Amino acid sequence: MRIHANDGISANGKEGLEKAGFNVSTNSVPQAELIAYLNEEKADVLLVRSATKVPKELIDACPRIRLIGRGGVGLDNIDVAHARSKGVLVINTPGASSISVAEMVLAHLSGLMRGLHQSNRLMPATGATGFKELKKRFGKGRELRGSTLGIIGFGRIGQWTARYAIGCGMEVIYTDHTCTIGSIEVTLGGASVAIPVERVTMEELLARADAISIHVPKQPDGAPVLGAAELVKVRPGTFIVNTARGGSVDEDALLAALSDGRVAGAALDVFVGEPEPRADLLAAEGLSLSPHIGAATVEAQARIGDELAEQIIAWSKASVSQG
Ligand code: NAD
């Protein structure tokens, strides 16, 4: 059986699949040439991350493909309904990168609250001549310990973010459509402790949080979870982190809230219009920025590769025993 991983796969995942007898190609074929490539190579399985798109046209034009695997959480680059209607199995690895995203939220947030995103930019230019001025400017940072983190969306990533925040001494409140838990298991030195977390309404979260982190999927109506109407209700000087999806925070409303001081700083890992985010947003003061790398750690890629390999091997064994 032939597997084509168009956005790559970790070395351990590839090795696991090859040991199980699969032929795995990992070259990155341009989107426009992908249909022809998959048909020429007689691929049975297509693996992608977020870069390669798998629309209806590709699924129809490559009838040999029986399984599409997405390394990561979202499936919005794959026409899942159409694939399933054609009997094509679609799999992903939803839990593999939750820890990586959660760690980056805390990295962005602690940097934001101490102004590191700005002092990192200014030190090379003026650190040698204006050290005292910079020391004064950045000497009013805020601490994580004792601050309240409001988490919007308390699924896998939201809960891991809560664990890291609790580890830093933050109080955690959250809002979620479905999750209602009142405590979260935190493991420290091998011992598990249930730490209380409070479910609140969105209104209450906006009114109480010192920092807000968003962990919801793309909304069915495409609307932001933090738009102009929500951003007017945050506490003055709130910090915001968006590692969910471009547009989960309305970018225009965020720029307005940054410029009038309601939002003291914001971290963005995801952008409307990726891979070409708007230049005025990137240039705005008060932003800590990363190029959609929340899930992209060496450890997560290894977990994703392992999970994909395990699922494909199990599917192939089940297909053989059924057929
Ligand atoms: P999940 O499905 O485990 O959790 C999402 C939670 O959001 C659910 O509990 C759901 O009930 C809740 N929710 C949905 N809409 C809501 C709303 N409007 N208000 C309140 N709660 C709402 O998903 P997850 O694994 O935690 O991932 C969350 C999102 O993170 C993904 O969908 C993806 O967009 C994003 N993500 C980003 C990166 C990155 O690299 N930056 C990596 C992985 C995932």
Side-chain angles (χ1 to χ4, degrees):
M1 209 178 270
R2 299 182 80 87
I3 299 178
H4 178 61
N6 205 47
D7 300 325
I9 183 169
S10 67
N12 52 313
K14 184 168 189 262
E15 199 184 308
L17 287 166
E18 286 173 343
K19 270 194 190 148
F22 293 94
N23 187 315
V24 185
S25 56
T26 56
N27 43 324
S28 171
V29 178
Q31 188 77 45
E33 295 159 29
L34 189 56
I35 290 176
Y37 179 87
L38 293 171
N39 286 330
E40 270 160 34
E41 294 299 311
K42 296 190 169 45
D44 306 284
V45 172
L46 172 62
L47 302 183
V48 299
R49 289 183 192 158
S50 56
T52 302
K53 311 277 173 261
V54 190
K56 180 176 182 292
E57 297 70 41
L58 188 149
I59 295 162
D60 286 339
C62 301
R64 200 185 159 90
I65 297 284
R66 291 160 55 205
L67 184 147
I68 299 166
R70 157 82 159 96
V73 184
L75 286 168
D76 34 342
N77 53 329
I78 301 170
D79 191 333
V80 178
H82 190 69
R84 290 188 179 142
S85 77
K86 294 269 171 169
V88 177
L89 182 66
V90 181
I91 61 170
N92 65 349
T93 58
S97 47
S98 305
I99 288 173
S100 344
V101 179
E103 286 197 6
M104 205 174 70
V105 171
L106 268 292
H108 266 303
L109 187 58
S110 52
L112 265 182
M113 289 174 68
R114 300 299 292 269
L116 298 185
H117 57 302
Q118 288 169 330
S119 69
N120 266 324
R121 290 173 199 163
L122 293 173
M123 280 294 281
T126 60
T129 51
F131 195 91
K132 279 187 175 170
E133 289 73 20
L134 291 182
K135 187 173 161 75
K136 198 170 165 199
R137 176 170 170 189
F138 292 109
K140 302 179 195 83
R142 298 277 309 281
E143 294 180 0
L144 295 170
R145 182 164 294 277
S147 301
T148 299
L149 177 64
I151 298 180
I152 304 177
F154 213 56
R156 288 172 292 255
I157 298 174
Q159 291 185 27
W160 269 107
T161 300
R163 289 189 179 94
Y164 281 98
I166 288 165
C168 291
M170 300 185 86
E171 186 197 340
V172 171
I173 57 176
Y174 76 91
T175 190
D176 193 293
H177 283 343
T178 54
C179 178
T180 58
I181 58 177
S183 66
I184 190 159
E185 289 289 318
V186 178
T187 305
L188 290 169
S192 244
V193 195
I195 306 287
V197 287
E198 188 184 353
R199 184 184 191 219
V200 296
T201 61
M202 178 67 125
E203 295 285 309
E204 199 177 342
L205 184 141
L206 297 174
R208 279 177 54 189
D210 299 300
I212 298 174
S213 191
I214 308 173
H215 301 290
V216 299
K218 188 176 175 186
Q219 300 296 287
D221 60 0
V225 284
L226 288 185
E230 289 75 27
L231 288 173
V232 291
K233 295 177 188 158
V234 299
R235 294 173 65 145
T238 298
F239 296 92
I240 289 175
V241 182
N242 182 21
T243 59
R245 278 283 178 266
S248 297
V249 180
D250 182 278
E251 293 178 348
D252 285 318
L254 178 64
L255 285 174
L258 279 164
S259 69
D260 72 19
R262 259 171 303 140
V263 171
L268 301 177
D269 184 51
V270 287
F271 303 86
V272 172
E274 284 180 31
E276 289 168 11
R278 49 194 271 199
D280 63 332
L281 181 72
L282 301 184
E285 221 185 309
L287 288 180
S288 176
L289 301 163
S290 52
H292 202 154
I293 51 165
T297 61
V298 172
E299 290 85 351
Q301 291 313 320
R303 287 191 296 267
I304 285 172
D306 284 344
E307 266 190 49
L308 281 176
E310 276 167 27
Q311 291 185 65
I312 292 167
I313 292 164
W315 161 78
S316 143
K317 280 185 184 155
S319 313
V320 169
S321 67
Q322 277 165 18

